[in-house]
Amino acid sequence: MASLNVGNLGDYLREQRRNAQLSLRQLADAAGVSNPYLSQIERGLRKPSAEVLQQVAKALRISAETLYVRAGILDEQERDELETRAVILADPSINERQKQVLLQIYESFRKENGLETAIAAEASKGTAQDTAADGPRTADGPGDAGPNTN
């Protein structure tokens, strides 16, 4: 079998497994994947799915996003965005409304700097489609052009 280009994912996994002082079999058991399959991933012969990477990351107690970047599933900028959002959402010292406001401010700064997030782009695309389908929105309500003057 030819080695796949998965951004040195296999080498990175092997290093993380050794740092965690786990055998290949122990990690395979903890992640719920077969020992031969995990061996093939480490040797660069198989490209695992995002679900398998998530299971392996959980077993190693490392960031799944880091593995996604190494496997070419996620780019570094997207990982940074997801990690920033996760930190904001996980902060127990602020309430849910404050978290949403912080995320909105974060989105606006990224957009202002030309780094609109994928999540914001999808949301604005949905809004544009809603507006086109419903007609113009006014202060009187969606699709309402105001009082009937006939």
Side-chain angles (χ1 to χ4, degrees), residues 51-88:
E51 292 81 19
V52 168
L53 289 174
Q54 186 173 24
Q55 291 169 251
V56 170
K58 187 175 179 181
L60 288 170
R61 297 181 183 190
I62 60 173
S63 162
E65 288 80 9
T66 300
L67 295 183
Y68 297 160
V69 170
R70 296 253 178 193
I73 295 172
L74 187 68
D75 76 15
E76 194 118 16
Q77 187 175 344
E78 289 171 322
R79 181 194 65 182
D80 292 345
E81 174 193 343
L82 288 172
E83 287 177 350
T84 301
R85 294 174 141 279
V87 167
I88 291 170

Side-chain angles (χ1 to χ4, degrees), residues 4-36:
L4 299 173
N5 181 11
V6 288
N8 297 322
L9 173 65
D11 293 337
Y12 181 75
L13 279 177
R14 184 177 301 109
E15 179 184 327
Q16 294 302 309
R17 177 177 58 78
R18 288 178 178 161
N19 287 342
Q21 298 180 338
L22 293 172
S23 70
L24 192 63
R25 188 173 309 279
Q26 288 171 320
L27 178 56
D29 288 343
V33 298
S34 75
N35 187 35

Side-chain angles (χ1 to χ4, degrees), residues 67-137:
L67 295 183
Y68 297 160
V69 170
R70 296 253 178 193
I73 295 172
L74 187 68
D75 76 15
E76 194 118 16
Q77 187 175 344
E78 289 171 322
R79 181 194 65 182
D80 292 345
E81 174 193 343
L82 288 172
E83 287 177 350
T84 301
R85 294 174 141 279
V87 167
I88 291 170
L89 291 171
D91 189 336
S93 66
I94 58 177
N95 65 40
E96 290 304 312
R97 186 188 64 75
Q98 291 167 330
K99 291 175 185 180
Q100 292 308 310
V101 170
L102 267 177
L103 288 173
Q104 289 172 351
I105 292 168
Y106 175 66
E107 296 290 341
S108 70
F109 284 151
R110 287 182 59 87
K111 190 172 184 178
E112 181 179 310
N113 294 334
L115 298 170
E116 184 175 13
T117 63
I119 295 165
E122 283 301 313
S124 66
K125 188 188 316 178
T127 304
Q129 289 172 348
D130 292 345
T131 303
D134 297 342
R137 298 183 189 271

